[in-house]
Amino acid sequence: MKKLTFTPRMLLTTILLIMGVIIAAVPKNTTTPYKLSADQILDEIKSGTQYLEPEQIAQMLVEKDPYLQLIDTRPQSEFEKFNLNGAINIPIDNLLSTEYIEVFDQDVKLNVFYSNGSTQANEAWMLLRQLGYSNIYVLRGGLNYWAEAILNPTPPTGLSSNDEIARYNFRRAAGQTLGAEGLDSAPSEGNDVKTVKVPAPKPVGKKKKVAGGCS
Amino acid sequence: MGPLVINEIISENTNLLLAFFIGIAFGFVLEQGGFSSSRKLAGVFYGYDAVVLKVFFTGAVTAALGMLFMSLFGWLDLSLVYVNETYLTSAILGGIVMGAGFIMGGYCPGTSFCGAAIGKIDAMIFVIGLFIGVFIFAEGYPLWEGIFKANFMGYPKISEFLNISEGFFALILVIAAVTMFWGAEWAEKKFPREEY
C-alpha cells in the first residue's frame, strides 16, 4: 500500500483552507466599532468625570468663553421656550444624525449636554463616549438644578461657612448677569442664540482622510 | 489598534521611514524570487512558469486573511483601512494597457525597477518606456480626463458588491488561489521550457 506523504504544498493548502473556513464562519460584526470598552465607560461613570458644575458653566457663560458649546437635548419645542445662552438644540432622537457629526467630531470645543434633569444628557454623553468622541460633558443636575442654583440661589443662613457664603455670592452675581441674557425666552428675536464662531475645529484622528494604496 | 498612522500611534514621518525599509525588503525578496527576469515573468502567460501568479495570490491571500483575523482580534479597524477608488472604465482600459505592456516588455512597473537595479538592460529600456507613458498621460491629460474619470463607483469592495460577508469572500479567494496554484503547477509540467 502506498504511504501518503505530506508535502509542503499540501500543508500550505490545508492551512490556507482551514483559515479561510474559520474566517468565513465567524460572524461579521464580531469586531466592535466602539472605541471604549464597557469597563472603561463604567470607570468614567463611577468617577463622574463627565460632570461640569453649574458654577463652571455660569462662569464660562459670563466670560463668553468661545470654547463652550452647550447642547440642549430636549425636543425643539421645549428648546424654543427656554434655553441657555448660546446653546444649540440637538434633540436626543436626532443625536446620531450625520448633520451633527461635525459638532462632536472635533477636539477644540467643550460640548456640554444638558436636559431638564441630567438623565437624558447622560444618555447622550454615554452613547457618544462609546462611539469614541471626546470633549463631551454633562451639566450636573440639568436645567432644574441650574434654575435652583444659579437663577434662584438660596441665601445662606447665619451658620453658613465662608465657602458657602462665597458660593452664594458667586451664584447670585452670575444669576444676575445671566438672568437677563441667560433666560433667553424669545430666541427668535435674540441674535446671540447662535454660538460664537471659533476657528474651524481640527478633526480628530478618527475622521482623518485615509490615503495610500498602491498604484 | 491599527491602522497605525490614522490612529496616530506612529507619525507620518515614521510611516515613510518604515515604507523605505519595507520597500527595500520588498525589492530584495522580489529579486530573489526571480522577478528581475523578464522571461520568468512572461512565463505566466505561456504556462511554463507561474511564479508571478503564485507570488501575487499568496500575497493577496495572506493579506486578506491577516487583516480579517487582526480585525477579529480587535487589532485593526477595517473601516479605517484605505480602499482604492474605482473608476471602472479606467480600470478596464488600464488593465488592457498594462497587460499588453507586460506581455511585450516582460515586466510590470515594480519588477522593471527591480531588474534595472541589478543592471538588466531590457528592464532599463522598459523603465524609459514607462516614463514616456507617464509623460504622455500627464501632458495629454485634458484629452482623456473624461474617459479617466468615467464610471466612478466609489470605494466598493467585491464582498459588498456580491452582498456576501468579507470572511466568505476570503474563503472563495483562498479556494480560487489554491486551485490556481495546483493548476499552475500542472501547467508548468505540461509546458516545460528548458532554459529561460
Side-chain angles (χ1 to χ4, degrees):
Chain A
M1 211 170 126
K2 213 171 111 183
K3 199 183 161 202
L4 185 71
T5 48
F6 216 57
T7 61
R9 283 176 173 74
M10 289 165 79
L11 188 67
L12 180 71
T13 307
T14 317
I15 292 174
L16 280 177
L17 285 175
I18 290 173
M19 289 179 79
V21 168
I22 292 173
I23 208 69
V26 167
K28 195 187 171 194
N29 288 331
T30 319
T31 51
T32 161
Y34 296 146
K35 295 297 164 69
L36 292 184
S37 68
D39 286 342
Q40 287 168 308
I41 295 277
L42 188 60
D43 278 344
E44 292 198 11
I45 292 172
K46 276 194 289 191
S47 58
T49 47
Q50 80 266 39
Y51 288 114
L52 289 180
E53 301 299 327
E55 283 87 356
Q56 288 173 277
I57 300 297
Q59 178 143 18
M60 289 174 101
L61 279 179
V62 170
E63 290 170 356
K64 297 196 187 309
D65 192 324
Y67 296 112
L68 177 68
Q69 176 66 77
L70 286 164
I71 299 173
D72 194 322
T73 61
R74 298 171 307 155
Q76 200 186 347
S77 54
E78 289 183 45
F79 174 77
E80 278 166 6
K81 276 184 210 147
F82 173 77
N83 60 63
L84 293 183
N85 205 14
I88 57 170
N89 183 217
I90 302 182
I92 196 151
D93 301 355
N94 300 341
L95 190 69
L96 298 180
S97 155
T98 47
E99 60 184 299
Y100 300 124
I101 283 179
E102 279 173 24
V103 178
F104 304 129
D105 191 15
Q106 45 82 31
D107 53 8
V108 176
K109 284 190 165 192
L110 289 184
N111 281 324
V112 182
F113 283 109
Y114 71 87
S115 48
N116 282 331
S118 50
T119 312
Q120 217 175 43
N122 257 324
E123 285 165 355
W125 169 82
M126 198 152 116
L127 194 57
L128 291 176
R129 207 53 204 113
Q130 227 164 11
L131 287 172
Y133 296 114
S134 54
N135 269 353
I136 38 177
Y137 298 89
V138 172
L139 171 61
R140 188 188 289 279
L143 285 179
N144 293 336
Y145 185 55
W146 176 270
E148 193 182 305
I150 302 294
L151 301 180
N152 310 300
T154 330
T157 61
L159 294 171
S160 300
S161 67
N162 286 345
D163 277 356
E164 281 173 39
I165 294 167
R167 193 166 63 198
Y168 169 74
N169 286 337
F170 172 81
R171 285 177 171 184
R172 209 166 54 100
Q176 279 167 358
T177 314
L178 296 173
E181 26 185 88
L183 274 168
D184 209 344
S185 53
S188 49
E189 298 164 20
N191 295 330
D192 42 339
V193 178
K194 293 284 167 280
T195 58
V196 186
K197 284 276 176 237
V198 293
K202 171 178 144 295
V204 292
K206 186 170 176 287
K207 287 292 159 188
K208 187 172 280 183
K209 189 181 182 308
V210 285
C214 167
S215 43
Chain B
M1 195 171 88
L4 298 177
V5 176
I6 296 173
N7 287 330
E8 292 173 357
I9 294 164
I10 61 170
S11 72
E12 294 275 357
N13 290 339
T14 317
N15 190 34
L16 281 177
L17 186 68
L18 288 178
F20 177 71
F21 290 121
I22 292 172
I24 288 176
F26 178 66
F28 178 76
V29 173
L30 216 53
E31 207 282 323
Q32 291 297 296
F35 276 60
S36 52
S37 159
S38 56
R39 294 193 192 89
K40 201 173 177 69
L41 293 174
V44 73
F45 296 107
Y46 304 102
Y48 62 83
D49 193 320
V51 67
V52 174
L53 184 141
K54 286 188 216 163
V55 163
F56 281 106
F57 263 91
T58 312
V61 166
T62 309
L65 287 176
M67 286 167 75
L68 287 172
F69 272 100
M70 278 158 100
S71 158
L72 182 65
F73 301 151
W75 298 345
L76 179 68
D77 188 347
L78 280 185
S79 64
L80 296 180
V81 173
Y82 178 77
V83 178
N84 264 350
E85 65 277 355
T86 298
Y87 294 93
L88 192 60
T89 311
S90 296
I92 293 170
L93 288 178
I96 292 170
V97 172
M98 155 103 188
F102 196 168
I103 298 176
M104 288 191 288
Y107 288 105
C108 65
T111 53
S112 68
F113 282 95
C114 208
I118 61 162
K120 293 264 172 94
I121 292 165
D122 60 343
M124 292 177 192
I125 305 280
F126 190 97
V127 171
I128 294 170
L130 199 151
F131 277 112
I132 293 174
V134 169
F135 185 77
I136 293 174
F137 178 80
E139 288 300 314
Y141 184 70
L143 292 177
W144 28 74
E145 190 177 5
I147 306 172
F148 183 62
K149 290 191 171 162
N151 284 325
F152 178 61
M153 293 173 68
Y155 306 85
K157 293 180 185 167
I158 298 179
S159 52
E160 286 166 8
F161 199 71
L162 298 176
N163 205 11
I164 56 177
S165 78
E166 286 171 349
F168 188 63
F169 179 72
L171 177 64
I172 294 174
L173 191 70
V174 166
I175 293 172
V178 167
T179 314
M180 278 192 279
F181 292 162
W182 288 91
E185 304 233 303
W186 170 82
E188 283 173 5
K189 288 193 191 103
K190 173 104 175 154
F191 311 102
R193 258 184 220 198
E194 281 306 310
E195 266 183 56
Y196 55 85

